[in-house]
Amino acid sequence: MAEQEEDFSSLPLPDRFVHKNWKVRKLAYEDAAKAFEATPDESSPVFRPFLQDSGLWKGAVLDSNVAAQQEGINALCSFLKYGGRDGCIRTRSNTVTAIVEKGLASTRAATKQSSLEALLLYVELDKADPIIEDLLPALSNKQPKVVAATLSACTSIYHAYGVKIVDPKPTLKALPKVFSHADKNVRAEASNLVVELYRWLREAIKTLFWNDLKPVQQQDLEKLFEAVKQEPHPKQQRLLRTQQAAVAAAPVVNMEDGYEEEVEEEIGEVDAFDLAEPVDVIHKVPETFYDDLASTKWKERKEALDALYTIVNVDRIKDGSFDEMVACFAKCMKDANIAVVTIAANCVEALAKGLRKSFAKYRGRIMSSIMERLKEKKQSVADALGAALDAVFASTGLTDCLEDIFEFLKHKNPQVKLETLRFLIRCLKTTRDAPSKEQTKTIAEAGKSLLTESTEVTRSGGAEIIGTLMKIMGERAMNPYLEGLDDIRKTKIKEYFEAAEVKAKDKPKPIAAAPKAAPSTQKKVPSKKPGTIKKPPPRAASPQEELPTASLATKTTAGRGISAKSNVPSKSGLTAPSGATKFQKKLVGPGGTSASTLASPKRNVVSPTFDDEVFPPPKLGPGGRGLAGRPLGKPATSISEPVVSPTAMGMSAIDRAELDELRAEKDRLQKQTEDLRADKSRLASQINELQNQNAQLIEDHTRDVLSIKAKETQLVRARSDAEAAEQTVQKQQREMERLKRELSRIGRASTPPLGMDGGDHIYRDTAISMNGPNNIVSGVDRYESSRASREVGYQRARSYMSSPSEEKENGGPETASRKIGSPGGAAMDLSDGRRSRGESPRRGREETGEVVTGQPIENWRRAAEVTSQLKARIEQMRVCRQLHGKYWQGLIDNPLMDMTEAGFSI
């Protein structure tokens, strides 16, 4: 047995992997794992046999012996861990399905753990899509334990790498089928997987499979979600090999950048846009949409937009040609009805959210129209327009929108200006790209200009713009823009800066490290200067050169001046005139290049106290040496005094005077500048106030013009109504005249001529008008019985009406004068006949009888009376005809009116 074992161990590993003895296979797996761990890199020849024949690993995973299977899966994990990406790509097609069926469903916990680790390594080395594609078919396995183990493995994969590395859409689509499984363990593992995905996706998880679940299952999941909502956003637990390499290459920089990227990914993953399937909404738009949108009735336009909103309100829209639709939305922004404007804004928001970046090409056509409509003061309309602008901004970026924003920040309407600055604040808070230096300057200047507005809301908005921008760019970058502001405004800006929450960070921060290197190089340059300055001290052999330079620099040396004082008088004569003028000293300095450079070390070495301490030692020295140095020391001191004092006096007399003048001029200019700034701010505030007043006046003028136009319209309508009424009145008048003519015709037809029993008709009308209907019969009988009397009266009337000449001829002057001039005659009777209609006609008839039977003297008088009565009755007939006309007109107006209401009686 021992010889056989030695023989087995001497076999190559591939041969031992397929040996029929499970113990040999188990030892081979263990040896392979140790060999993989001992390799220096991925190119080791140990990996080559297993790369060429990837089926060896399928046999190891499907080993019939559970102990050998466990070691085989461990060997696979070691192979993947040290073999690299090449081993992963070549073996995963043969091993993943086997691991799912045999490894994950194993009864051994160690085997399950090794199988899960192998799957995680496959994801780590390359990508997760092929692994998920091999795992999802196992959800249809007949064995519930395989399905449950697969769901548990998916949960572990999503927990380790997150939904950004592992696409959740294929898994979410397969979940409804799993929730309908008969096994409770499968449903429990499915719930765990959904909860894990909810940790990453939040409410966006419901877009794909939520409606396919039963209400009871939805309620159970909602209860599980409540516990997850309180947890913070999860983070990626394991890094891919590519991520590990990036961290290893630049651990300091990439750790921070990686953290920022993770935060951005977490925020972006919550959106349901990436999970939803694109919907083709163009073909769903009704054919009559554009016709209905062009209707003159606002209800039809609103109904068309409502129908369109139902179509476009989806999570993701398939890209297409929406030019005509966007143009209609822009036209709807100018609609007079605010309900149409609100629905159009909602449609723009839904379309922009559904298209995202594809909507950027339509921004120029719709954004200015929306911002122009921001003048609406109704909050619901303003909210809809603001949401549409936010959606348009999310599809583009800050750079694309700034031009329109700056244009409308200068709008004459205060409401438009206010809503525009609020939109800019929202843009700064939601943008992920920090603005450039030019954009920062423009935004800061716009915010500062808003600080001088007349309304408090606008001023606060300007402070919030600067504070939010400071949160993005940093305090140091924004300090130059805060100069000139008072403390109150700075405090307000600081408050908004501390409270602002932004998503963008200034990316040029790494560039700030470059200026740090520049000062380091500059520091090296001055470090070289001391090296060059150190060169003058070795000039002990020629101390005479240092004394002139020291005298030119108005300073004296300590020990060198004593040792070389013998040469000082000769050079003192040369330096005296140079000390008289300052300009000559400046010219001498460049002559010796070390003159300017030696000034700094001389300041450190020389001090005026050294001069006092240096002069006594020569007195203690030997006589010759001390005497030689002593007289030389006096002129040196005398020289040093005039050299120092004239230069100092020259500086104070000329330069200081000039300096004082310059300072005074500077103070004056500064004062003028402050005054000008104050005037500028005051004028700017006045200009803003005037602009606001002008805008208000323009609005009032526009309102007045609209009211005048409305009044003119009403006046035109009133005129047209008046003309129509006049035409109606004229028509009625013509109709009345026609009816009057008809009545007169009827009256003429019913009335007999005057010579044919006219008196009887007249008497009847008079009786009707004067005595009423009660005396009609009696009057008729009375006049019929006295026919002869009527004929005589008629003849007398004719004789009276014939002519005055006939009267004179027949009756004489007395009778004529009595008829004409008698005040109580016919005229009196005529007035009595007109004045009293109710008088009984019996008197007339009796008088007529008296004429017939009376004396002849009174015949002419009676005839005149009868004539006057006839005239009165003719007048009464005219009145009666008028009453008949009124009666017929009353019947036309009111058919139910009787004769009594018409004003006369029968």
Side-chain angles (χ1 to χ4, degrees):
M1 293 295 295
E3 294 178 358
Q4 291 179 357
E5 289 179 1
E6 291 178 358
D7 294 337
F8 291 151
S9 61
S10 63
L11 291 175
L13 286 175
D15 296 339
R16 294 164 62 186
F17 266 51
V18 295
H19 201 275
K20 61 182 181 180
N21 190 343
W22 68 271
K23 294 183 180 179
V24 177
R25 296 195 303 272
K26 182 175 179 296
L27 291 175
Y29 300 151
E30 295 176 353
D31 294 342
K34 294 178 182 178
F36 296 149
E37 293 177 1
T39 55
D41 53 19
E42 300 174 0
S43 60
S44 177
V46 178
F47 300 105
R48 189 173 298 113
F50 300 96
L51 293 175
Q52 294 175 353
D53 187 7
S54 59
L56 296 174
W57 293 114
K58 182 177 181 181
V61 174
L62 295 175
D63 201 303
S64 58
N65 187 274
V66 292
Q69 180 190 15
Q70 179 179 347
E71 296 299 332
I73 296 176
N74 290 336
L76 176 61
C77 293
S78 180
F79 174 77
L80 294 174
K81 185 176 181 180
Y82 299 102
R85 183 172 178 272
D86 195 11
C88 165
I89 295 174
R90 293 193 179 188
T91 58
R92 65 188 175 193
S93 59
N94 295 322
T95 57
V96 173
T97 305
I99 290 172
V100 172
E101 294 178 354
K102 296 296 182 180
L104 295 176
S106 177
T107 57
R108 290 195 171 192
T111 304
K112 290 182 179 180
Q113 187 64 31
S114 299
S115 300
L116 180 60
E117 180 65 22
L119 293 177
L120 294 176
L121 286 172
Y122 274 118
V123 176
E124 176 183 330
L125 290 171
D126 186 27
K127 55 184 179 180
D129 294 341
I131 308 303
I132 297 298
E133 290 177 1
D134 293 338
L135 286 176
L136 292 181
L139 298 179
S140 302
N141 198 290
K142 296 181 180 180
Q143 298 180 6
K145 65 176 183 178
V146 176
V147 179
T150 304
L151 291 172
S152 178
C154 292
T155 304
S156 300
I157 291 174
Y158 283 109
H159 180 78
Y161 296 103
V163 294
K164 191 65 176 180
I165 304 298
V166 187
D167 188 9
K169 286 193 292 185
T171 306
L172 290 174
K173 292 179 181 179
L175 284 177
K177 183 179 179 181
V178 178
F179 272 97
S180 61
H181 202 279
D183 190 79
K184 64 178 182 179
N185 295 327
V186 174
R187 295 196 301 271
E189 291 294 337
S191 299
N192 294 334
L193 177 58
V194 172
V195 171
E196 179 61 33
L197 290 174
Y198 185 83
R199 293 176 63 244
W200 295 90
L201 301 173
R202 300 296 178 181
E203 296 298 326
I205 195 176
K206 299 180 180 180
T207 57
L208 291 179
F209 78 102
W210 191 257
N211 295 329
D212 298 333
L213 300 180
K214 298 179 180 179
V216 178
Q217 294 174 341
Q218 293 179 358
Q219 294 176 2
D220 295 339
L221 290 175
E222 287 290 350
K223 294 178 181 178
L224 297 175
F225 293 162
E226 291 296 330
V228 180
K229 289 179 181 179
Q230 306 299 329
E231 299 178 0
H233 286 285
K235 297 181 181 180
Q236 186 177 344
Q237 301 294 329
R238 295 182 61 159
L239 298 178
L240 301 178
R241 284 293 174 89
T242 54
Q243 295 175 340
Q244 294 176 10
V247 172
V252 177
V253 176
N254 287 346
M255 283 177 66
E256 297 177 357
D257 296 343
Y259 178 75
E260 294 174 4
E261 290 176 0
E262 286 179 3
V263 174
E264 293 177 358
E265 290 172 0
E266 290 169 6
I267 298 173
E269 289 162 1
V270 180
D271 197 353
F273 180 79
D274 298 331
L275 303 178
E277 294 293 333
V279 179
D280 188 5
V281 301
I282 295 179
H283 297 290
K284 295 182 179 181
V285 177
E287 296 180 356
T288 60
F289 168 73
Y290 297 104
D291 295 335
D292 295 339
L293 200 61
S295 175
T296 56
K297 298 181 180 180
W298 69 270
K299 288 186 178 180
E300 294 181 359
R301 299 196 299 270
K302 182 178 179 297
E303 290 174 357
L305 290 172
D306 287 334
L308 180 65
Y309 179 73
T310 306
I311 296 173
V312 300
N313 189 20
V314 294
D315 294 325
R316 192 169 185 175
I317 299 176
K318 185 179 180 181
D319 192 12
S321 178
F322 296 93
D323 299 270
E324 186 176 2
M325 188 180 296
V326 173
C328 292
F329 292 154
K331 184 179 180 180
C332 289
M333 290 298 122
K334 302 177 182 179
D335 199 290
N337 190 278
I338 59 175
V340 177
V341 176
T342 304
I343 300 299
N346 294 335
C347 292
V348 173
E349 179 187 2
L351 187 63
K353 288 182 177 179
L355 290 175
R356 289 292 175 89
K357 298 300 180 183
S358 301
F359 190 80
K361 54 188 175 182
Y362 308 112
R363 182 200 62 81
R365 302 181 182 180
I366 191 65
M367 187 171 181
S368 59
S369 300
I370 298 176
M371 297 182 75
E372 188 68 35
R373 192 67 190 209
L374 290 173
K375 60 185 178 181
E376 293 293 338
K377 295 183 179 180
K378 191 173 183 180
Q379 191 61 35
S380 59
V381 183
D383 293 341
L385 295 173
L389 286 175
D390 293 341
V392 173
F393 171 76
S395 65
T396 55
L398 183 63
T399 305
D400 299 330
C401 300
L402 279 180
E403 184 178 355
D404 291 334
I405 291 174
F406 291 146
E407 180 181 355
F408 281 91
L409 278 177
K410 303 175 183 178
H411 201 275
K412 60 184 179 180
N413 193 319
Q415 186 68 21
V416 175
K417 185 184 296 184
L418 178 61
E419 294 297 332
T420 303
L421 70 89
R422 288 176 178 172
F423 173 54
L424 177 57
I425 293 170
R426 295 196 300 270
C427 293
L428 293 175
K429 289 182 178 180
T430 57
T431 183
R432 297 183 182 275
D433 300 327
S436 61
K437 292 183 179 180
E438 296 179 355
Q439 294 173 353
T440 302
K441 181 179 178 181
T442 309
I443 296 172
E445 293 296 335
K448 289 178 66 177
S449 64
L450 294 174
L451 294 176
T452 58
E453 289 289 334
S454 59
T455 58
E456 194 275 336
V457 180
T458 310
R459 294 195 300 270
S460 299
E464 188 172 359
I465 289 174
I466 300 176
T468 308
L469 186 62
M470 184 184 295
K471 193 74 171 182
I472 298 174
M473 306 303 297
E475 294 185 55
R476 184 177 180 182
M478 292 297 296
N479 284 334
Y481 304 106
L482 301 181
E483 295 180 358
L485 299 178
D486 54 12
D487 295 337
I488 297 176
R489 292 173 179 172
K490 288 182 180 179
T491 304
K492 195 73 172 179
I493 292 171
K494 289 288 185 181
E495 292 177 358
Y496 285 113
F497 163 70
E498 295 173 357
E501 295 180 1
V502 297
K503 298 180 180 179
K505 292 186 178 180
D506 188 15
K507 291 184 178 179
K509 284 182 179 178
I511 302 175
K516 293 180 181 178
S520 63
T521 55
Q522 293 176 356
K523 291 179 181 178
K524 294 179 182 179
V525 174
S527 65
K528 295 179 181 180
K529 290 181 180 179
T532 57
I533 295 170
K534 291 178 182 178
K535 294 179 181 179
R539 294 180 183 178
S542 59
Q544 299 174 354
E545 297 178 357
E546 296 180 358
L547 290 174
T549 56
S551 62
L552 292 174
T554 67
K555 293 183 180 180
T556 58
T557 57
R560 293 176 184 175
I562 298 170
S563 61
K565 284 180 181 180
S566 59
N567 298 327
V568 173
S570 63
K571 292 185 179 181
S572 62
L574 296 174
T575 56
S578 64
T581 59
K582 178 181 177 181
F583 299 98
Q584 292 177 356
K585 289 169 64 178
K586 293 182 178 179
L587 293 173
V588 173
T593 56
S594 62
S596 60
T597 58
L598 290 174
S600 59
K602 289 177 183 178
R603 291 174 185 172
N604 296 330
V605 178
V606 180
S607 63
T609 57
F610 292 162
D611 297 338
D612 298 337
E613 295 176 357
V614 168
F615 293 125
K619 297 179 181 179
L620 299 175
R625 187 65 177 171
L627 293 173
R630 187 171 182 179
L632 292 174
K634 290 180 180 179
T637 55
S638 63
I639 292 172
S640 63
E641 291 178 358
V643 168
V644 174
S645 60
T647 55
M649 292 300 293
M651 288 291 292
S652 62
I654 301 173
D655 295 339
R656 289 184 181 177
E658 185 178 359
L659 182 61
D660 293 338
E661 293 178 359
L662 293 174
R663 287 178 178 174
E665 186 176 0
K666 180 181 177 183
D667 295 338
R668 182 175 57 81
L669 292 175
Q670 287 180 350
K671 186 176 181 181
Q672 290 180 357
T673 304
E674 292 177 357
D675 294 340
L676 290 175
R677 286 180 179 176
D679 294 339
K680 181 181 178 181
S681 61
R682 179 176 56 79
L683 292 174
S685 62
Q686 291 179 359
I687 289 171
N688 292 326
E689 292 177 359
L690 291 175
Q691 287 178 350
N692 294 332
Q693 294 176 2
N694 188 20
Q696 188 65 31
L697 291 174
I698 291 173
E699 289 183 358
D700 296 340
H701 177 68
T702 304
R703 193 184 307 109
D704 295 339
V705 170
L706 293 177
S707 63
I708 290 171
K709 290 183 178 179
K711 296 296 182 182
E712 290 178 353
T713 304
Q714 295 177 1
L715 183 60
V716 170
R717 292 179 180 175
R719 286 177 179 173
S720 62
D721 295 341
E723 292 177 357
E726 289 179 358
Q727 292 177 0
T728 305
V729 170
Q730 292 176 1
K731 183 178 179 181
Q732 295 295 334
Q733 288 178 352
R734 290 193 297 270
E735 184 68 19
M736 290 174 61
E737 293 175 357
R738 186 184 66 79
L739 292 174
K740 287 180 181 179
R741 290 193 297 271
E742 185 68 20
L743 288 173
S744 63
R745 184 182 63 78
I746 294 172
R748 287 193 302 271
S750 62
T751 303
L754 186 62
M756 297 176 65
D757 198 12
D760 191 11
H761 180 72
I762 292 171
Y763 293 144
R764 286 197 191 106
D765 291 340
T766 307
I768 290 171
S769 61
M770 296 178 64
N771 300 325
N774 296 326
N775 297 325
I776 294 174
V777 178
S778 60
V780 171
D781 294 338
R782 189 179 295 113
Y783 288 108
E784 286 180 355
S785 62
S786 57
R787 186 179 184 84
S789 300
R790 290 195 298 274
E791 290 177 354
V792 172
Y794 182 72
Q795 292 176 358
R796 296 283 178 85
R798 289 184 62 186
S799 63
Y800 176 76
M801 295 172 65
S802 60
S803 64
S805 60
E806 292 178 359
E807 291 177 357
K808 291 179 181 181
E809 291 176 359
N810 296 328
E814 295 180 357
T815 306
S817 61
R818 189 186 305 114
K819 292 177 182 177
I820 297 172
S822 176
M828 193 68 182
D829 294 337
L830 180 62
S831 62
D832 293 338
R834 291 179 181 177
R835 185 169 60 250
S836 59
R837 295 182 180 180
E839 184 178 358
S840 176
R842 187 174 297 174
R843 178 183 177 185
R845 288 192 294 272
E846 290 176 356
E847 292 175 356
T848 307
E850 290 176 1
V851 171
V852 175
T853 59
Q855 296 177 2
I857 301 172
E858 300 294 332
N859 288 339
W860 290 104
R861 183 175 62 82
R862 297 299 183 187
E865 292 177 357
V866 170
T867 302
S868 63
Q869 290 178 1
L870 287 174
K871 290 182 179 180
R873 286 166 184 163
I874 290 170
E875 184 68 19
Q876 289 175 359
M877 287 180 62
R878 292 178 182 175
V879 174
C880 184
R881 288 180 181 177
Q882 291 179 358
L883 291 175
H884 276 287
K886 290 182 181 180
Y887 172 70
W888 286 106
Q889 183 64 31
L891 288 178
I892 293 172
D893 295 338
N894 187 7
L896 300 178
M897 184 181 67
D898 55 4
M899 296 178 65
T900 306
E901 293 176 355
F904 62 92
S905 60
I906 301 175

